[in-house]
Amino acid sequence: QGHAARWPLSLGAKFVRVVPMRTTLVVALTLVTQVSSFLAFFLPLKIVILLGSEGMPKYFPPVFEQFERNVLVVYLSVATVGFFAVNMLGERLIAWITAGATRSLLARSHKLVLFENQHEVAGNGYQSFSSVLAGGIFAALAFAGISFFYGELSVVILGYLALMSSVLGLGSLRSNAFREYVR
């Protein structure tokens, strides 16, 4: 079991050691694209709610009250398109930086080409590592925000995670079928 965890950590450490700036940039851009993607799909819901209501809904942020309803619809629509554009631009930049980082990693490894699409596989591996790292950072920042604003909810989340980890751990220890199902 320990070997399964060491290999990805070793690979991730090599990525960070060989291309540290690119890895940091890809992780930061991935965070930006995740947030902009969320907002690009979340804001249209706010627009529909706003269009379907008589006035300004009470649960909207107080800063929205300074705008007339129709003006706010336009601003939210423009913001939606803007966040979508930021998401698309970020994804393209990530692909471009990942391609350069992959070339650097392969050049640094001095390995023979073992199969035809080795470059693509290495690029996918690097991008997957960066996405997982960014996802972990995003989850940690989101949890920190929830803990700051809603302390009780963070306790519930931690309790749920502890319970599920225990169930998965005990189930994996006691049953080969359960372990295979989880795997």
Side-chain angles (χ1 to χ4, degrees):
Q1 295 290 346
H3 298 294
R6 274 188 241 142
W7 184 79
L9 291 175
S10 170
L11 187 61
K14 182 169 185 140
F15 288 159
V16 172
R17 190 174 54 252
V18 173
V19 284
M21 291 303 293
R22 290 179 182 166
T23 302
T24 303
L25 192 56
V26 166
V27 169
L29 283 170
T30 302
L31 287 171
V32 168
T33 59
Q34 287 174 343
V35 170
S36 63
S37 175
F38 172 75
L39 290 172
F41 290 104
F42 179 70
L43 288 179
L45 177 62
K46 292 292 184 188
I47 294 168
V48 169
I49 290 171
L50 193 57
L51 289 173
S53 65
E54 293 287 324
M56 186 69 65
K58 299 277 188 237
Y59 50 84
F60 269 39
V63 73
F64 284 3
E65 292 174 3
Q66 69 186 11
F67 301 107
E68 182 188 329
R69 191 172 77 102
N70 292 337
V71 171
L72 185 58
V73 167
V74 171
Y75 286 163
L76 291 176
S77 299
V78 169
T80 299
V81 172
F83 284 121
F84 184 74
V86 166
N87 180 40
M88 296 304 294
L89 179 63
E91 291 292 336
R92 291 204 182 230
L93 283 171
I94 289 169
W96 181 67
I97 294 168
T98 298
T102 302
R103 284 191 298 275
S104 295
L105 286 166
L106 289 174
R108 177 91 183 259
S109 70
H110 304 295
K111 304 266 182 186
L112 294 173
V113 176
L114 298 176
F115 47 91
E116 191 174 317
N117 62 345
Q118 180 174 334
H119 187 76
E120 291 174 32
V121 171
N124 290 340
Y126 178 76
Q127 191 163 6
S128 295
F129 166 77
S130 300
S131 294
V132 167
L133 184 59
I137 292 170
F138 182 79
L141 291 174
F143 184 75
I146 288 171
S147 298
F148 182 75
F149 292 107
Y150 306 104
E152 299 84 13
L153 181 59
S154 66
V155 172
V156 171
I157 291 170
L158 286 176
Y160 175 77
L161 290 174
L163 175 69
M164 294 313 296
S165 296
S166 300
V167 166
L168 289 174
L170 289 174
S172 294
L173 285 174
R174 297 191 182 270
S175 169
N176 286 335
F178 184 80
R179 189 174 346 173
E180 286 302 314
Y181 177 75
V182 170
R183 193 176 296 160

